[in-house]
Amino acid sequence: MRTPRGLVLLVTLALALVVPVVPASAAPARPGAPYVVASSPHSLTVTWPAAKGAKRYRVAYSRSHARASTSSATTRSTTGRSTRLTVGGLRPGTTYCLTVRAIGRGGSGARSSAHCHATMPRANKTSHPSISVVTYNLCSTAQGCGRWSLRREAIFAKIKQADADIVSLQESGLKRKELRPRLEQLGYRQAHLSRRNVMYYRAARLVQVKRDVPIPICLSKPYTGAIDYTWIDDYHWDMVTDKPYRLYKGTWYYAGDECPGVGIPAPFESSFRLPHGRPADWIGLRDRLTGDELLAVNVHLTPGRTAGATRRRKSETAALVRHIDRTAKKMPVVLTGDFNSDRTRSDDVVGRLLGKAGLGDAYQRSATYTRPYLNSYNGYRRTPNRNTRWGGHIDRIFVRGGFGVTGWEVMADLRRGRYVGARASDHNPVRARLFMPSPRRAAP
């Protein structure tokens, strides 16, 4: 007997309703870009945001940015759902680009954007004492900075939280007069300053270097007349003889320009005058624990992304290198500031010229990193800016002369991926901890 076509159709529809069609498993979501949180001369440790549907992750890496996003890159896989992986077997002081993709029941998800970072050039001398450095643009002089009275306490709190041995501030202007007594209560001493910038150092750890400055004094011509209350400080123009005199080792001597120079200890500090009127303040400091002397420099280069601004920064950086070489000689150097340039720019001419002069960016040399995904310039936004490939840090710390870098950090308060609390400045402080070039001196 033949079954009617209508009955066959009804049975087919009934089965379709009773037996559901099982869809194919979806591929896992695309994870966020990996960021380096630890480094050594032969490894990079990266972490990334978790991706929905991931059972494990596969990290690809290459010395080529383009190749890191292709199947030809070398890969390493995580154990389970861990969002952290150490990639070993790398070359010292070499830049690698890394991507990550999630692996799930539905196969492989899309690759993340690539992030590039360098391995440490050499291992740190971890037995050496360390010091900390912070650089911070206060935004107290530029337009659009907001009322100082509403930001002052938040700025002071950030500086206090940094707890650094060297504090470099840009765009401090006259507001430094309000900060100075409060920082001195915390044990800081104000170093050389310019109209816009200022530095402080922790007196319990560092002492200012002094150098003999040749001052014209005729030791064969001591003053023999009467001395009254007008002879103060260490220099006096005598109205009786109409001649200049200078105090040296308790005695006043004639100090005419024709006199030979006598070395008198003076603070080793001043400002470099860069092209386009921007100063770079510097001070010589001696570490009490190691005896190492170092040159600390604070600078704020021309802002802007135009070709003209780039040319200005190039000339400023070239002059800065010449001044540092002439002043520091063999002293180790810590260079801090707002450089208005990073590797996200089409031409990081600043980093390039400083690198040629042996000044390495602490961001590419540290053993550990905290919040490297944050830009140091926040623009008063609640949602952080992020530059995936290189990291956007125009506030930088460069070192030369045997320093190791053990920690690098963008200081910021976040909750659920957004800035919280008072917005102290349009920049985030950047802090680094450095190992000194020399070991601790033996106790006498």
Side-chain angles (χ1 to χ4, degrees):
M1 183 180 71
R2 297 182 63 185
T3 304
R5 290 187 178 181
L7 181 60
V8 173
L9 181 59
L10 287 174
V11 173
T12 303
L13 290 173
L15 290 173
L17 292 174
V18 174
V19 183
V21 177
V22 179
S25 298
R30 184 191 191 201
Y35 281 90
V36 172
V37 294
S39 176
S40 77
H42 298 286
S43 69
L44 292 172
T45 299
V46 292
T47 185
W48 57 89
K52 185 177 180 181
K55 295 296 183 182
R56 59 189 177 91
Y57 296 90
R58 184 177 296 136
V59 173
Y61 61 96
S62 172
R63 285 184 288 169
S64 163
H65 177 263
R67 189 179 176 188
S69 298
T70 68
S71 58
S72 61
T74 307
T75 62
R76 296 284 188 275
S77 295
T78 64
T79 300
R81 294 185 174 90
S82 174
T83 57
R84 183 184 177 102
L85 181 71
T86 297
V87 178
L90 308 181
R91 297 182 181 181
T94 302
T95 297
Y96 291 86
C97 297
L98 306 99
T99 62
V100 62
R101 68 193 310 179
I103 311 298
R105 289 182 178 177
S108 300
R111 289 186 179 88
S112 70
S113 299
H115 173 63
C116 303
H117 205 96
T119 53
M120 293 174 63
R122 64 189 64 85
N124 285 326
K125 298 176 181 178
T126 56
S127 62
H128 291 193
S130 65
I131 62 168
S132 55
V133 182
V134 68
T135 183
Y136 192 16
N137 185 320
L138 304 187
C139 192
S140 73
T141 58
Q143 292 183 346
C145 286
R147 290 175 58 185
W148 172 260
S149 60
L150 300 178
R151 301 184 295 116
R152 177 179 53 229
E153 293 306 313
I155 283 176
F156 177 73
K158 282 290 184 186
I159 297 173
K160 184 178 180 180
Q161 179 189 357
D163 193 29
D165 298 302
I166 299 174
V167 178
S168 294
L169 306 178
Q170 303 86 44
E171 290 190 31
S172 59
L174 296 177
K175 302 300 186 292
R176 59 175 172 257
K177 293 182 178 180
E178 300 179 35
L179 292 174
R180 180 174 182 175
R182 301 181 68 176
L183 290 175
E184 287 180 343
Q185 290 179 355
L186 297 178
Y188 288 100
R189 296 291 180 268
Q190 182 174 285
H192 189 76
L193 55 86
S194 59
R195 184 166 56 92
R196 298 175 178 174
N197 311 322
V198 65
M199 281 189 293
Y200 294 88
Y201 63 93
R202 197 193 305 274
R205 178 63 190 273
L206 300 163
V207 61
Q208 188 168 5
V209 172
K210 292 189 176 182
R211 292 281 192 267
D212 284 348
V213 177
I215 302 294
I217 296 177
C218 287
L219 296 179
S220 61
K221 298 179 180 181
Y223 182 75
T224 57
I227 295 176
D228 59 22
Y229 69 93
T230 63
W231 292 65
I232 58 177
D233 296 326
D234 58 0
Y235 182 84
H236 179 75
W237 189 282
D238 182 39
M239 303 300 292
V240 177
T241 60
D242 196 30
K243 291 181 179 179
Y245 290 86
R246 187 173 291 276
L247 184 65
Y248 179 68
K249 293 185 177 181
T251 302
W252 288 93
Y253 295 94
Y254 171 62
D257 290 340
E258 72 276 14
C259 293
V262 175
I264 294 181
F268 188 53
E269 63 175 20
S270 188
S271 291
F272 303 136
R273 288 293 161 185
L274 305 182
H276 319 297
R278 289 185 172 263
D281 305 322
W282 61 268
I283 179 174
L285 296 170
R286 180 181 297 110
D287 179 28
R288 295 180 184 272
L289 295 184
T290 65
D292 286 332
E293 292 186 353
L294 63 94
L295 188 75
V297 185
N298 182 24
V299 69
H300 187 188
L301 300 185
T302 294
R305 290 179 174 271
T306 65
T310 301
R311 287 193 296 271
R312 285 191 168 201
R313 286 192 292 271
K314 182 178 181 179
S315 62
E316 289 166 351
T317 306
L320 179 62
V321 167
R322 291 194 298 270
H323 285 304
I324 289 176
D325 288 345
R326 183 165 56 245
T327 304
K329 295 182 172 60
K330 295 184 179 181
M331 291 175 70
V333 177
V334 178
L335 171 61
T336 59
D338 177 358
F339 294 86
N340 279 302
S341 181
D342 58 28
R343 294 189 71 170
T344 66
R345 309 289 176 99
S346 58
D347 183 8
D348 179 24
V349 64
V350 174
R352 195 158 42 80
L353 291 178
L354 293 177
K356 287 182 178 179
L359 287 151
D361 192 339
Y363 175 62
Q364 295 289 343
R365 293 177 170 231
S366 183
T368 62
Y369 297 89
T370 303
R371 291 177 287 277
Y373 50 84
L374 293 180
N375 287 13
S376 65
Y377 176 75
N378 63 59
Y380 287 117
R381 300 178 181 89
R382 285 296 184 187
T383 301
N385 289 332
R386 305 186 183 198
N387 291 92
T388 301
R389 182 170 177 178
W390 296 111
H393 313 117
I394 62 175
D395 303 275
R396 304 164 81 171
I397 299 170
F398 292 85
V399 293
R400 184 176 79 180
F403 284 107
V405 187
T406 183
W408 182 98
E409 174 184 7
V410 174
M411 296 179 59
D413 298 318
L414 299 172
R415 185 180 301 144
R416 296 178 181 176
R418 290 171 57 85
Y419 290 118
V420 295
R423 289 175 288 180
S425 171
D426 59 351
H427 289 247
N428 296 319
V430 171
R431 176 173 59 185
R433 178 160 289 280
L434 315 175
F435 283 117
M436 296 299 295
S438 300
R440 184 189 295 266
R441 291 186 297 185

